[in-house]
Amino acid sequence: MAEVCQIVCGVISPLLANLYLHWLDSTWEKKAFGKRPHDAHIVRYADDFVILCSKRPEFYLDQAKKVLDRLGLTLNAKKTRIVNAMKEPFDFLGHRFAVQPSKVTGELKTFYYPTPKAMKSVKQKIRDVVRKGQHWDWPTLVKEKVNPILRGWGNYFKTGNSRKHFLSIANYTIWTLCIMLRKKHKKRGKGWRDHPPSWFYDYHGLFKLYSLSVTGDEGSRYARPVPS
């Protein structure tokens, strides 16, 4: 008698997704959907994927559904939608992709940066670790708890147009640490005068998140012109 197990969010889930969805990749390549005249490209990571095309999106979505049906899989109806990227952004793997006019040239380009959900998530992690670390020694809190969060998050998003988002998270981190110090030492105010940014960066080794931002919002090599 065979036993069937359902594994959700397990460590083996990405491996199983790749084993199954390899057939989707192979079918797409076999039918040459990624080449002219189709120009419909699948970008996939584990069980998350997007289909990038300039025409007939319903047709390519239907083709993907047929492959998944043969594998006994179904698309998540809540997460599956057709988007005109020229009119509205879409999210994929924590990034928001948007077609916007460049403030420098006025030319339409594709920008990508952390989604609001990604911003909210990292703020929650910082807030939680600072709250738990009120009674830890300062080097442990900053260098062993806060810095790994900033470094990991920053390395993931550094290849996008994330400069403003990095500055926002850096300022939020300092603000959260200032609030913690104010409460710990029972002082009034928010602590900016006693603990300016340089106090955290230069004297206590807080990771400089904005130093990872290798691109800006304008003139970026990661901002691609939109094909006509």
Side-chain angles (χ1 to χ4, degrees):
M1 179 178 178
E3 182 178 355
V4 178
C5 299
Q6 183 178 12
I7 302 174
V8 179
C9 297
V11 294
I12 199 173
S13 294
L15 175 60
L16 294 177
N18 282 327
L19 288 174
Y20 266 79
L21 295 180
H22 171 72
W23 293 104
L24 176 62
D25 301 336
S26 298
T27 301
W28 217 259
E29 185 176 355
K30 186 181 298 183
K31 293 187 176 183
F33 284 152
K35 300 179 180 179
R36 293 185 182 277
H38 298 283
D39 276 341
H41 305 275
I42 277 190
V43 181
R44 183 177 67 82
Y45 180 81
D47 60 346
D48 290 322
F49 67 89
V50 293
I51 301 174
L52 305 175
C53 59
S54 59
K55 56 186 177 182
R56 298 198 299 167
E58 295 85 0
F59 170 77
Y60 298 113
L61 177 59
D62 184 63
Q63 292 296 310
K65 285 181 178 179
K66 288 180 179 179
V67 176
L68 296 178
D69 286 342
R70 292 200 297 269
L71 295 172
L73 303 174
T74 57
L75 292 172
N76 186 325
K78 293 182 179 180
K79 295 183 178 180
T80 303
R81 63 192 183 109
I82 295 176
V83 175
N84 183 343
M86 301 292 289
K87 297 181 179 180
E88 61 177 310
F90 68 92
D91 299 343
F92 183 55
L93 299 180
H95 292 85
R96 173 155 292 180
F97 294 81
V99 177
Q100 302 170 349
S102 168
K103 294 180 181 179
V104 176
T105 64
E107 181 183 11
L108 285 178
K109 293 186 176 182
T110 302
F111 295 87
Y112 65 103
Y113 40 82
T115 63
K117 183 178 179 181
M119 296 286 287
K120 182 179 180 180
S121 176
V122 73
K123 286 181 179 180
Q124 183 66 51
K125 289 180 180 179
I126 293 168
R127 186 163 58 248
D128 289 345
V129 76
V130 171
R131 186 177 300 160
K132 293 177 182 177
Q134 293 185 39
H135 304 293
W136 297 339
D137 61 281
W138 192 249
T140 298
L141 174 60
V142 173
K143 296 183 179 180
E144 297 182 20
K145 301 298 180 180
V146 176
N147 280 359
I149 295 174
L150 296 176
R151 187 179 293 109
W153 189 85
N155 277 319
Y156 183 75
F157 288 106
K158 71 178 182 179
T159 57
N161 311 98
S162 308
R163 181 173 58 86
K164 292 180 180 179
H165 299 77
F166 278 25
L167 288 174
S168 174
I169 296 301
N171 289 336
Y172 178 83
T173 302
I174 292 177
W175 177 80
T176 304
L177 290 169
C178 280
I179 294 297
M180 185 272 285
L181 289 172
R182 177 181 64 83
K183 292 181 178 180
K184 185 175 182 179
H185 299 292
K186 299 180 180 179
K187 290 187 176 182
R188 293 183 177 181
K190 296 182 179 179
W192 289 106
R193 181 174 298 178
D194 295 332
H195 308 105
S198 59
W199 188 82
F200 292 98
Y201 292 125
D202 298 337
Y203 294 102
H204 295 285
L206 181 65
F207 182 71
K208 296 180 179 179
L209 179 61
Y210 56 84
S211 68
L212 284 178
S213 186
V214 296
T215 64
D217 291 319
E218 296 297 335
S220 167
R221 62 192 177 96
Y222 291 97
R224 304 299 186 187
V226 177
S228 57

